[in-house]
Amino acid sequence: MGVGTGIAIFFIIWWVCLFITLPFRMKSQLEVGEVVEGSDAAAPAKPQLLKRMFWNTLIASIIFFLFWLTFYYFDYSVDDLPQIIKIRKLNP
C-alpha cells in the first residue's frame, strides 16, 4: 500500500467515524434550556469539537491499524475470507 492510498483510506475511515461519533453525548439548546436567539433550538449547546475530533482520530487510527494489519501485514484478501453463503445454480 502506498502512502497516498493509506492516507485516502485513513481519511475515509476518519470521516465515517466522525459521522458515527458526532451525536454521542450531544445536548441541544432546547434540552439545556438556553436557546440563543436567531439559532435553531436543535443546535448543540456545547459542541466540544476539538475533544470530539481527538477521540474520533484515536478511534479511526485503531480501525486503520487493524485494517492495515489484516490486509497488508498478514496479506489477507477478500478471497481468503470464508464463504458463508453458497450460491447454487438452479436446474430448470
Side-chain angles (χ1 to χ4, degrees):
M1 169 171 57
V3 175
T5 305
I7 291 171
I9 291 172
F10 179 78
F11 180 73
I12 291 170
I13 292 171
W14 188 89
W15 202 252
V16 170
C17 287
L18 178 68
F19 283 115
I20 292 171
T21 61
L22 201 57
F24 292 155
R25 295 187 181 182
M26 186 73 71
K27 292 194 178 188
S28 67
Q29 293 178 7
L30 186 62
E31 291 173 339
V32 175
E34 300 173 2
V35 179
V36 177
E37 189 175 330
S39 68
D40 190 38
K46 295 179 183 177
Q48 301 175 345
L49 290 178
L50 290 177
K51 183 179 175 183
R52 292 180 185 279
M53 291 208 180
F54 169 76
W55 285 106
N56 184 54
T57 303
L58 184 68
I59 292 168
S61 298
I62 292 169
I63 292 172
F64 178 76
F65 176 73
L66 292 174
F67 172 80
W68 176 82
L69 193 69
T70 302
F71 290 106
Y72 291 97
Y73 185 74
F74 292 122
D75 199 27
Y76 284 114
S77 68
V78 178
D79 295 333
D80 294 330
L81 298 174
Q83 186 175 2
I84 298 172
I85 300 173
K86 292 183 179 181
I87 300 174
R88 297 180 183 145
K89 288 185 177 180
L90 297 175
N91 291 329

